[in-house]
Amino acid sequence: YNLTKRVTLDMVVSKEAIAAKKLSRSMPIAQRFAALKGMKLGITKPGAATDVYMRYYLKRAGIDPERDVQIVTAGGGAALMAGIKTKQIEAFHLSAPTPYLVQREGFGEVIIKSSAGDVPELDNFLYTGIVVSKEYAEKNSDVIKRWVKAVNKANALLHKDEAAALKNLKKYFPRMPDDVMALAMKEILPALSPDGTMNEQMMQKHLDFLYDTKQIDWKPSGKEGALWTNAYVK
């Protein structure tokens, strides 16, 4: 089951770095990547998505992550947010809401919004999904289909009834303030898959990314039936 149709990491950059680099989200994405040169870039930890995708952006711009920038291991969202406030880092990317909390408090602005499709090769891209073994799927197809139906129903609620969706989400995130929950939902919705389906191009983009970032050393087939199937989500 495909949960998202694109990468959801959104990059927020400090107001000072934006002014120095004359940055805006309206600039071509190649220019936004190039502007990262010389910055202090925050990540959660080495090897995490925040690190892997950051290094991918740098590679796209011909920037050496070991010499041309400073990659700072900060920790979770609260630590990254504090890092921008205290000027220990100049940029980081995470899924909503943290980058937008930085923006709302006036310490930075979101400059690269992957969740909205700013990075074409990370759009129509398998980023987050649910996987079961082939053996389990074949023996429990009824369970999987019922699960898919439930998730699709929840997905429809997210898009059609914000108040009801927020009320249900609150059960699972009881300590998150209502306004932050609403902000996170608003920003993440455009990246959600409406029905869990996948396609060959989506899978091939993901496999190419894994190969390009040296997470795998061979290129498996992206065709349906090799690593994925829509048989249980249709």
Side-chain angles (χ1 to χ4, degrees):
Y1 188 95
N2 176 41
L3 289 167
T4 62
K5 58 188 177 183
R6 58 179 68 106
V7 171
T8 59
L9 299 174
D10 293 340
M11 184 176 292
V12 63
V13 180
S14 71
K15 286 290 186 74
E16 293 82 2
I18 287 171
K21 299 274 188 173
K22 296 181 172 58
L23 264 173
S24 77
R25 191 174 162 225
S26 63
M27 294 168 61
I29 189 63
Q31 289 184 29
R32 283 177 274 167
F33 286 155
L36 298 176
K37 188 172 183 178
M39 285 194 193
K40 293 180 180 179
L41 306 171
I43 62 169
T44 53
K45 62 181 180 180
T50 53
D51 182 31
V52 171
Y53 286 89
M54 186 73 78
R55 290 174 184 270
Y56 177 74
Y57 290 171
L58 297 172
K59 180 182 175 182
R60 280 279 314 276
I63 298 170
D64 187 330
E66 308 303 329
R67 296 184 304 177
D68 298 331
V69 297
Q70 185 176 342
I71 294 180
V72 180
T73 301
L80 287 165
M81 190 168 173
I84 277 205
K85 288 182 178 180
T86 58
K87 299 179 172 54
Q88 295 178 59
I89 59 174
E90 295 170 282
F92 69 84
H93 58 183
L94 276 180
S95 300
T98 309
Y100 298 94
L101 295 177
V102 173
Q103 181 170 276
R104 190 171 70 177
E105 293 192 19
F107 294 102
E109 290 183 18
V110 174
I111 295 299
I112 299 176
K113 196 170 181 179
S114 293
S115 64
D118 282 10
V119 186
E121 62 268 43
L122 300 183
D123 192 14
N124 188 34
F125 181 95
L126 183 61
Y127 180 57
T128 307
I130 302 296
V131 181
V132 299
S133 70
K134 185 176 181 180
E135 181 183 13
Y136 180 89
E138 290 174 346
K139 290 182 178 179
N140 299 277
S141 63
D142 58 328
V143 175
I144 293 175
K145 288 178 179 179
R146 291 201 306 271
W147 183 89
V148 167
K149 185 177 180 179
V151 175
N152 285 348
K153 184 178 179 180
N155 227 330
L157 183 68
L158 285 169
H159 285 86
K160 294 178 181 178
D161 192 336
E162 179 181 342
L166 289 171
K167 182 179 178 180
N168 280 279
L169 284 168
K170 193 69 177 176
K171 298 174 186 177
Y172 301 94
F173 302 96
R175 293 189 296 176
M176 185 176 288
D178 291 351
D179 61 330
V180 175
M181 181 77 74
L183 178 62
M185 193 175 82
K186 172 179 174 288
E187 298 300 340
I188 207 76
L189 273 179
L192 295 183
S193 168
D195 56 11
T197 58
M198 292 166 272
N199 57 61
E200 182 178 338
Q201 184 189 43
M202 177 181 282
M203 177 58 76
Q204 198 59 59
K205 278 187 172 185
H206 179 78
L207 295 171
D208 290 346
F209 176 84
L210 292 177
Y211 182 80
D212 290 343
T213 54
K214 296 181 170 55
Q215 296 182 75
I216 57 175
D217 57 8
W218 60 292
K219 286 190 176 183
S221 170
K223 293 185 180 299
E224 183 169 9
L227 296 172
W228 64 278
T229 179
N230 280 331
Y232 301 93
V233 296
K234 289 181 178 178

